[in-house]
Amino acid sequence: MTRIVTRPYSFRTSEMLRQGGAHPVLARLFAARGITDIKELSTELNGLLAPALLLHSDKAAVFLADAIAAKKRMVVVADYDCDGATACAVAVRGLRMLGAEVDYLVPNRFEYGYGLTPAIVALAAEKSPDIIITVDNGIASIDGVQEAKKRGIEVVVTDHHLPADTLPEAAVIVNPNQPGCPFPSKGLAGVGVIFYVLLALRAEMRKRGLFDAATQPRLDRLLDLVALGTVADVVKLDANNRILVAQGLKRMRAGGMQPGIAALFRIASREPAKASPFDLGFALGPRLNAAGRMADMTLGVECLITDDEGLAWSIARQLGEINLERREKEAEMHENALELLADFDPHENATISVFAADWHQGVIGIISSRLKDRYFRPAITFSPDKDGWIKGSGRSVPGFHLRDALDLISKRDPGLIERFGGHAMAAGLTIRADAFDQFAAAFEEVGRSWLGQGESERVVETDGALEDACFTISFIDLIDSHVWGQGFAAPVFCDEFKVVNQRILKDKHLKLALEKDNRRYEAIWFGHAETLPANAKVAFRLGANEYNGTTRVQLLVEHAEAA
Ligand SMILES: [Mn+2]
């Protein structure tokens, strides 16, 4: 079942925002998204939170400035997703701009798993570094940091993941989510954290007289990478992250980006001049992530750190190929999973657990996400791991804390889960292959006791009706001038229309002519091939449809039901 709801908002707040200069409709949308002050909508760099607010950024700055002065060798150890790869590129490029000697390493997820493990430290040690800097990982790497210390390597941890009770004994830890950190934006991505560390480091070097504000290296040139990692990691786009993303997009639109980012736009057939958060999250992000999922993220990092346009393009093409391979694998596994779930009834079952012996570990998270979207149930997809073990990756629905569920299962049956981690909406775990049925039953039991009927519904949140006068290209441009995304949902409107005409295109999409107050609207419902009754309640986004040289407004239907 799908239910359409309207986001509540405070009329007083929206009036205040309107008086502060916001468009009346946008003022309503902003109020519904928790904005209380027009200043939160600034996209200027000087609106960024100060680096000094980030706990230990000053300590990291002094440590790294000393290290650069002493010509110490640094190795960046990154995570294998898009946030990790962009964070790695920002670290390598930024530290080099500031005069550091720096190399990097991205663990192959299939061999080494996640984080700065002792095995990864041994690998990094082959590069004989004095210092290891982690980006987008490390906050849980107690053993790895210990191993590095044993080898005489100092560690600077930069991360954004939630810490456990014990922190690693690193020389410095920078993480907005560590205890005592007053940084107000807890949504900073891994790439954002290392960018802030670089800002602090540059300020320290300025203080030491190495350069001044006019001659200092231009770290703002890294904002395209920061924007990409931030959007692709699906962190909350709070006011600070919206500035980082807006600034990155602005540079891309003006043509100012790393050759690798330009090449990724080209391989994805997207125009940098019209760069949007959608491009970053759904075109560039997946192509980089494919490297970490199917092969090795080193390829992705190489794409982002090269200044050679020819090399960037050839790597981007490889990434495009790997992404196609990922899509094929995903389609095959998704079909397989639906076969396994042929008898699955979301009214009878609270959870989904699926496993097949030939599934690819790099894609299980995506499959869970698709199953969760289809059935509105928490879903975990498993694939084979090293001998006798299987690895699962799960996605949850609102109201069901997935990591807490795994925690409860592991307390009820201590031998069942070997390892698990994650958060409310996503988690991963390892179990014995022969324990799959037992796990599925235990997971279902928790699901039944935690999930009521209500939580199995898909809820389409909307901003209510849209004024007639706003169905224009200029209003679409106004919407697009703001950054929307995770935690700051793009506008969706909802109204009742008369369906005056409808036909199904290519057996796949529903093309509609709608009418309201004697005005006609063109609409399309992608991926939906059933017709609507004569009167329908429609939830839609506004789209600009270019056809034969003219651009017209088209309603992009998210959901519709009988009015
Ligand atoms: Mn991350």
Side-chain angles (χ1 to χ4, degrees):
M1 268 304 290
T2 301
R3 195 159 49 94
I4 297 177
V5 299
T6 306
R7 291 189 184 91
Y9 71 96
S10 147
F11 182 71
R12 256 191 70 204
T13 309
S14 98
E15 272 303 288
M16 216 174 59
L17 294 171
R18 191 183 60 77
Q19 281 159 18
H23 180 284
V25 174
L26 289 184
R28 185 179 94 212
L29 304 186
F30 294 144
R33 284 156 184 74
I35 300 288
T36 55
D37 187 334
I38 198 88
K39 285 200 210 91
E40 292 170 68
L41 297 164
S42 158
T43 54
E44 296 305 316
L45 268 187
N46 59 19
L48 276 182
L49 294 165
L53 290 169
L54 196 56
L55 187 68
H56 300 331
S57 62
D58 51 348
K59 215 171 135 189
V62 169
F63 183 91
L64 293 172
D66 288 348
I68 292 171
K71 300 203 179 325
K72 290 196 174 166
R73 291 169 57 86
M74 307 178 191
V75 169
V76 175
V77 175
D79 189 19
Y80 48 69
D81 67 0
C82 187
D83 186 20
T86 51
C88 186
V90 164
V92 169
R93 284 183 174 278
L95 287 166
R96 282 183 186 157
M97 280 185 204
L98 295 167
E101 195 191 322
V102 56
D103 198 351
Y104 77 92
L105 184 68
V106 198
N108 179 313
R109 71 191 291 174
F110 306 109
E111 272 177 67
Y112 297 98
Y114 173 81
L116 183 72
T117 56
I120 284 297
V121 172
L123 206 59
E126 290 172 14
K127 297 177 187 280
S128 40
D130 302 298
I131 297 165
I132 286 176
I133 303 169
T134 68
V135 293
D136 194 32
N137 77 97
I139 197 65
S141 304
I142 292 168
D143 297 345
V145 172
Q146 215 54 48
E147 175 66 25
K149 283 174 79 174
K150 224 189 317 177
R151 292 171 179 263
I153 305 169
E154 296 190 273
V155 182
V156 175
V157 168
T158 79
D159 199 352
H160 70 128
H161 294 96
L162 294 177
D165 293 338
T166 316
L167 298 178
E169 286 176 17
V172 190
I173 299 178
V174 185
N175 180 336
N177 291 302
Q178 72 178 310
C181 182
F183 198 71
S185 169
K186 301 300 179 192
L188 205 58
V191 69
V193 177
I194 187 66
F195 182 70
Y196 262 85
V197 168
L198 292 173
L199 290 177
L201 170 58
R202 186 178 64 176
E204 173 64 24
M205 293 174 79
R206 226 168 30 225
K207 220 166 73 186
R208 296 184 184 191
L210 292 160
F211 38 67
D212 59 28
T215 58
Q216 67 186 4
R218 296 280 306 274
L219 294 177
D220 64 312
R221 294 202 172 124
L222 303 172
L223 281 161
D224 55 342
L225 295 164
V226 178
L228 173 55
T230 300
V231 172
D233 216 40
V234 210
V235 290
K236 184 178 179 205
L237 295 182
D238 57 21
N240 205 59
N241 277 340
R242 288 202 304 278
I243 296 178
L244 292 171
V245 174
Q247 287 290 330
L249 288 172
K250 185 176 144 191
R251 282 164 177 75
M252 293 175 199
R253 288 175 190 148
M257 66 204 117
Q258 321 302 330
I261 301 248
L264 286 168
F265 268 100
R266 189 138 62 102
I267 195 73
S269 308
R270 312 293 298 187
E271 276 182 77
K274 294 181 184 167
S276 70
F278 180 86
D279 294 332
L280 306 188
F282 294 93
L284 277 60
R287 283 170 174 80
L288 270 176
N289 271 325
R293 291 182 186 287
M294 308 300 288
D296 191 320
M297 194 39 121
T298 305
L299 199 59
V301 177
E302 285 298 316
C303 185
L304 299 177
I305 62 174
T306 182
D307 287 324
D308 177 336
E309 285 178 24
L311 180 61
W313 173 238
S314 97
I315 299 175
R317 282 175 51 186
Q318 288 182 62
L319 291 171
E321 292 293 321
I322 297 171
N323 189 46
L324 287 179
E325 199 188 304
R326 185 272 300 172
R327 271 196 213 153
E328 271 170 33
K329 196 73 208 161
E330 178 189 331
E332 177 193 312
M333 282 167 60
H334 186 236
E335 205 173 299
N336 257 203
L338 293 184
E339 281 163 20
L340 290 176
L341 292 168
D343 298 325
F344 180 85
D345 179 352
H347 299 289
E348 298 283 316
N349 299 277
T351 62
I352 298 169
S353 302
V354 281
F355 164 68
D358 61 345
W359 282 353
H360 193 291
Q361 216 179 85
V363 190
I364 50 180
I366 307 180
I367 298 299
S368 288
S369 176
R370 293 184 64 175
L371 295 176
K372 179 261 307 175
D373 287 344
R374 186 183 182 102
Y375 298 108
F376 320 124
R377 291 291 180 192
I380 304 182
T381 306
F382 288 87
S383 70
D385 197 29
K386 281 163 197 153
D387 31 49
W389 298 90
I390 58 177
K391 212 172 218 173
S393 177
R395 297 291 181 273
S396 195
V397 295
F400 187 87
H401 196 297
L402 192 53
R403 204 220 42 212
D404 285 357
L406 298 177
D407 191 42
L408 180 61
I409 294 168
S410 75
K411 282 186 176 123
R412 282 180 180 165
D413 190 346
L416 185 52
I417 303 178
E418 169 73 5
R419 265 199 302 283
F420 68 93
H423 47 92
M425 300 304 281
L429 72 160
T430 305
I431 61 174
R432 287 189 322 277
D434 56 19
F436 172 75
D437 290 335
Q438 197 191 337
F439 171 81
F443 187 45
E444 177 65 17
E445 199 183 315
V446 178
R448 284 190 188 209
S449 69
W450 287 7
L451 282 175
Q453 188 63 28
E455 270 107 358
S456 71
E457 283 181 328
R458 181 168 84 116
V459 174
V460 176
E461 285 190 294
T462 78
D463 294 290
L466 179 64
E467 288 72 353
D468 286 351
C470 291
F471 286 82
T472 61
I473 298 295
S474 63
F475 186 68
I476 293 175
D477 289 341
L478 184 63
I479 290 176
D480 289 347
S481 70
H482 293 271
V483 169
W484 311 90
Q486 182 67 15
F488 201 74
V492 174
F493 302 99
C494 179
D495 217 330
E496 288 185 20
F497 294 91
K498 218 192 292 176
V499 178
V500 289
N501 205 336
Q502 56 183 328
R503 66 197 159 90
I504 289 161
L505 300 179
K506 298 178 195 158
D507 295 329
K508 270 209 275 209
H509 316 300
L510 181 63
K511 178 102 181 93
L512 297 150
L514 303 174
E515 195 181 284
K516 191 191 91 176
D517 302 333
N518 291 318
R519 289 171 68 135
R520 283 282 191 110
Y521 300 96
E522 288 172 30
I524 188 157
W525 191 350
F526 287 112
H528 185 92
E530 285 154 55
T531 55
L532 287 174
N535 289 291
K537 184 176 180 184
V538 181
F540 60 93
R541 288 179 293 120
L542 287 184
N545 187 26
E546 275 183 58
Y547 187 71
N548 274 350
T550 47
T551 308
R552 300 167 70 164
V553 174
Q554 177 171 250
L555 278 51
L556 303 168
V557 179
E558 294 274 306
H559 181 71
E561 59 194 33

